Amino acid sequence: MPRTRYTYDLPVHRVEYGKELAVTDLTIDRQAQRTLNERRAQTIANEIVREAIGSIVVSQRSEGTLYIVDGQHRWRASELAGLPTIMAEVHHGLNQAQEAILFLIKNRESHKPRPIDEYHVGLTGGVPLFVDTERILQKHSLSLGSSSTNSVGAVSGVLQITDKFGADVFDRTLSVAESAWGRSAETWDGMLLGGIGMFLGRHGDLVNDSDLAKRIQRFGTAAKWRSQILQDSSRGGFNNSGTGSRISTAYRGILSEWNKGRKATNRIEV
C-alpha cells in the first residue's frame, strides 16, 4: 500500500558556530522544547565545569530574540551556577515551527526527549508525521500521553504505525480495535494496536475491517489478547520478549484468527 514518507526539512539559513552569549539574554519557547527538569538542571549545576559545557543550540529570530533550541538544561545549570556566558551555535531566520524541527533533528541521534515531549514539539513544528497522527486521534476523540478510556499511552507505538504504514492505516487500526473491544484503556494497548496496524499495513487491501473486528472479538477481550501475546512472546526467551517481538506476536495472532476456518484460496499466506 502506498504511503507518505515522513521527513524533517529545514530551509537553508545562516549558522554561526562558537558564539559566546550572555546567559541572561536567552529564553525558552515552551512549545518548541521538551519539559525543563529543574532537578536535572540543579544536578548539572552542582558539578558544572564551564570548559566542559559545550555549545547549546540557539535560534535568533528576525526581531532579535534568542531562543534556546537545544541545551536548555545546560543553560539553566549555568544560570543556577552564576555563570555569565555560554557558548552557542546560533541559527538565524527560523520561525517557531522550524525551531521545533531543528530540535527534533538535533535529538534524533543523541539523547532523545521523552516520546510525549517529542510529539508535542513535532506538532508545534508542523511535522506531517505528528500532525497526521494527531488528526486521526482527534477523529476518534482520543488524546496521546496516558492510558485511559479516551487516551492512548503508547506514544511511540502509534507514531510507528503512522510512520510505517500511513495515517489511513492508523485510522483503520483505531476503528477495528474499538469495534472489537469497545472503548477502554485496554483497547488502546500499544501491542494490540501495533499488531492490528501491522496486519492492516501488510494486508489491508485484502481485508474487510468489520469482518476483521468480529474475528478479533471472537478470540476474546483485549485483556485476553494481551495475556496471550505476553505468553507467546515469552516462549522465545528473553531476546524475544521486547516490544517489537510482542507486536509481531500480536500480528501473527491476528493473522491466525483471520485465516481460521477459511479455504486455502481465501487465506492470507506470509
Side-chain angles (χ1 to χ4, degrees):
M1 299 176 66
R3 67 176 185 84
T4 302
R5 294 296 302 179
Y6 294 103
T7 58
Y8 297 157
D9 298 312
L10 279 177
V12 175
H13 61 282
R14 183 165 67 93
V15 184
E16 293 180 278
Y17 298 95
K19 190 168 182 178
E20 189 171 20
L21 301 175
V23 170
T24 55
D25 287 346
L26 298 167
T27 189
I28 298 173
D29 186 333
R30 300 295 179 185
Q31 289 184 290
Q33 266 288 349
R34 74 180 91 188
T35 304
L36 177 67
N37 185 322
E38 194 69 27
R39 180 178 295 179
R40 178 183 170 195
Q42 185 63 64
T43 299
I44 297 172
N46 291 342
E47 300 178 0
I48 199 165
V49 178
R50 182 173 184 174
E51 293 73 18
I53 295 173
S55 291
I56 64 173
V57 181
V58 171
S59 171
Q60 184 166 8
R61 294 187 188 170
S62 56
E63 81 282 3
T65 307
L66 295 165
Y67 284 95
I68 299 169
V69 173
D70 191 50
Q72 65 171 339
H73 288 95
R74 284 174 288 156
W75 163 76
R76 177 60 176 150
S78 298
E79 188 175 51
L80 291 170
L83 300 183
T85 62
I86 191 168
M87 299 304 294
E89 169 188 314
V90 184
H91 295 249
H92 294 266
L94 300 182
N95 58 31
Q96 183 195 56
Q98 292 161 346
E99 290 166 5
I101 293 172
L102 178 60
F103 169 83
L104 295 174
I105 292 172
K106 287 290 186 179
N107 283 277
R108 184 183 289 166
E109 300 299 336
S110 61
H111 179 69
K112 288 183 66 63
R114 294 186 307 152
I116 191 60
D117 286 333
E118 182 179 18
Y119 184 73
H120 289 309
V121 171
L123 287 177
T124 298
V127 179
L129 169 61
F130 302 93
V131 172
D132 286 352
T133 300
E134 179 70 9
R135 172 173 56 82
I136 300 303
L137 286 166
Q138 288 184 359
K139 178 181 176 181
H140 292 267
S141 299
L142 290 167
S143 60
L144 198 60
S146 61
S147 298
S148 70
T149 300
N150 297 311
S151 180
V152 183
V155 180
S156 298
V158 300
L159 288 171
Q160 189 175 67
I161 295 171
T162 307
D163 190 32
K164 283 189 173 182
F165 305 115
D168 288 343
V169 168
F170 180 44
D171 187 9
R172 293 174 66 186
T173 296
L174 295 177
S175 294
V176 168
E178 185 169 356
S179 294
W181 299 309
R183 199 173 181 91
S184 69
E186 290 77 15
T187 298
W188 315 126
D189 180 86
M191 294 185 302
L192 304 183
L193 294 180
I196 295 172
M198 183 180 290
F199 182 82
L200 290 172
R202 294 180 177 180
H203 315 296
D205 292 340
L206 307 173
V207 170
N208 175 278
D209 291 3
S210 178
D211 188 12
L212 176 61
K214 289 176 183 176
R215 286 175 175 269
I216 290 174
Q217 182 184 52
R218 189 181 306 165
F219 178 82
T221 64
K224 182 178 178 181
W225 270 94
R226 178 178 170 79
S227 176
Q228 188 65 50
I229 291 165
L230 292 173
Q231 180 179 326
D232 290 346
S233 61
S234 66
R235 287 173 181 163
F238 178 78
N239 291 331
N240 294 315
S241 60
T243 301
S245 175
R246 290 169 182 171
I247 289 174
S248 296
T249 301
Y251 158 75
R252 289 191 296 271
I254 292 166
L255 177 65
S256 176
E257 288 303 309
W258 177 262
N259 284 333
K260 192 172 293 183
R262 294 184 184 274
K263 295 181 180 179
T265 54
N266 294 325
R267 293 168 62 87
I268 294 177
E269 303 295 342
V270 294

